[in-house]
Amino acid sequence: MPIRYLIVDDEEPGRANLRLALADHPGWELVAECDGNGAARASLAQHEVDVIFLDVQMPGETGLVLARELSRLREPPLIVFVTAYGAHAVDAFEVHALDYLLKPLDDARLAQAVERAAAMLRQRQREAYGAALRDHAEAGASPYPERIGVRSVGRIEQVIVDEILWMEAAGNYVELHLPARTVLHRITLNRLEALLDPACFLRVHRGAIVRRDQIASLVSGGEGSHKLMLRCGGVVPVSASYVAALKAALQA
């Protein structure tokens, strides 16, 4: 069964470039090309769509407006943002997307996005993806989410934030350490830290964040090194720049 996709971009060259690039991927079927959100809504009302390649900056309404609307659906199309912004600016809306592509398009990055979308569709993950979108779209009621949609390889699951004991950076992923397992989340540690309540979590290393109620003791090593012992049994390295904040947390 083909993967049906929609291109939404106000610039015709952008639509053409993406259409031609996707033509090299067998099994992908173009439903329509739209020059804005209005045309996209009309196409979505008439056709079943699996994936939307959505431009961010468009006249009138940005792609984020449409993304938030789609988040209300039980099984929304997977969203791949297409943007001219630098990667540092993408963090502001990364949580709403399965992936994002920077203009001008890079064939290797497009292939990664295509495979990621295909993997999620094979595993019937659209409902889980929809739940993750809704969590972020509704986050305005509380500054810190109770659950996060964890994106790993071809899969999204809901992880309760209160169950996270500690976390550490692992390349382009973050390892979330839960009571009985470890989950890989495709996000940067800095981005994840921005979503967490600082009253509950504390950064102790450039690559590690711990739950405050898991802090047990600070152990000094040679040459000024430190390690944090957690109540769950975990051992986390501590950077010198975080030692003072950690000592204050121990005395609280």
Side-chain angles (χ1 to χ4, degrees):
M1 185 174 179
I3 296 175
R4 299 151 298 190
Y5 71 94
L6 192 69
I7 296 174
V8 184
D9 191 326
D10 64 296
E11 297 181 348
E12 195 282 330
R15 299 194 300 271
N17 288 341
L18 186 52
R19 170 177 22 91
L20 292 172
L22 285 166
D24 292 333
H25 296 273
W28 284 70
E29 178 182 295
L30 177 62
V31 172
E33 293 182 23
C34 305
D35 60 3
N37 289 349
R41 293 184 184 100
S43 293
L44 289 167
Q46 298 177 23
H47 305 284
E48 289 288 333
V49 174
D50 300 306
V51 182
I52 296 181
F53 292 89
L54 181 59
D55 191 14
V56 176
Q57 194 62 43
M58 295 184 290
E61 290 183 337
T62 69
L64 294 175
V65 174
L66 182 60
R68 292 187 184 104
E69 291 179 11
L70 294 174
S71 74
R72 303 186 186 106
L73 301 177
R74 181 182 176 188
E75 295 187 10
L78 305 180
I79 299 171
V80 177
F81 279 126
V82 183
T83 176
Y85 290 130
H88 65 282
V90 174
D91 283 346
F93 53 79
E94 183 185 21
V95 291
H96 297 288
L98 170 71
D99 205 340
Y100 65 88
L101 301 172
L102 293 177
K103 297 179 180 180
L105 289 176
D106 176 81
D107 289 340
R109 278 293 292 119
L110 176 61
Q112 289 177 358
V114 164
E115 176 52 35
R116 185 170 292 133
M120 287 196 64
L121 292 169
R122 284 195 300 268
Q123 296 187 34
R124 301 181 183 276
Q125 284 288 296
R126 278 179 60 175
E127 186 170 351
Y129 174 74
L133 277 180
R134 287 189 294 277
D135 278 352
H136 288 291
E138 296 167 2
S142 171
Y144 307 110
E146 296 180 357
R147 297 174 297 167
I148 55 176
V150 171
R151 294 175 294 172
S152 191
V153 182
R155 183 175 178 82
I156 285 184
E157 66 171 296
Q158 296 294 301
V159 169
I160 298 173
V161 174
D162 283 348
E163 293 183 354
I164 301 174
L165 304 174
W166 60 287
M167 59 202 79
E168 61 181 336
N172 294 325
Y173 290 77
V174 172
E175 291 184 351
L176 304 180
H177 294 267
L178 308 175
R181 62 193 178 111
T182 299
V183 178
L184 275 178
H185 186 15
R186 190 175 62 85
I187 194 173
T188 65
L189 192 64
N190 286 342
R191 175 59 188 152
L192 184 55
E193 182 180 22
L195 300 175
L196 301 173
D197 185 351
C200 298
F201 290 92
L202 179 67
R203 188 81 170 250
V204 297
H205 190 275
R206 66 180 181 179
I209 298 173
V210 302
R211 175 173 287 281
R212 287 178 180 270
D213 62 15
Q214 284 296 310
I215 295 173
S217 61
L218 179 64
V219 178
S220 299
E223 300 181 355
S225 65
H226 295 82
K227 290 184 178 180
L228 176 63
M229 314 304 290
L230 301 180
R231 298 185 189 281
C232 63
V235 180
V236 182
V238 179
S239 297
S241 57
Y242 294 101
V243 169
L246 181 53
K247 287 182 177 179
L250 281 165
Q251 296 171 0

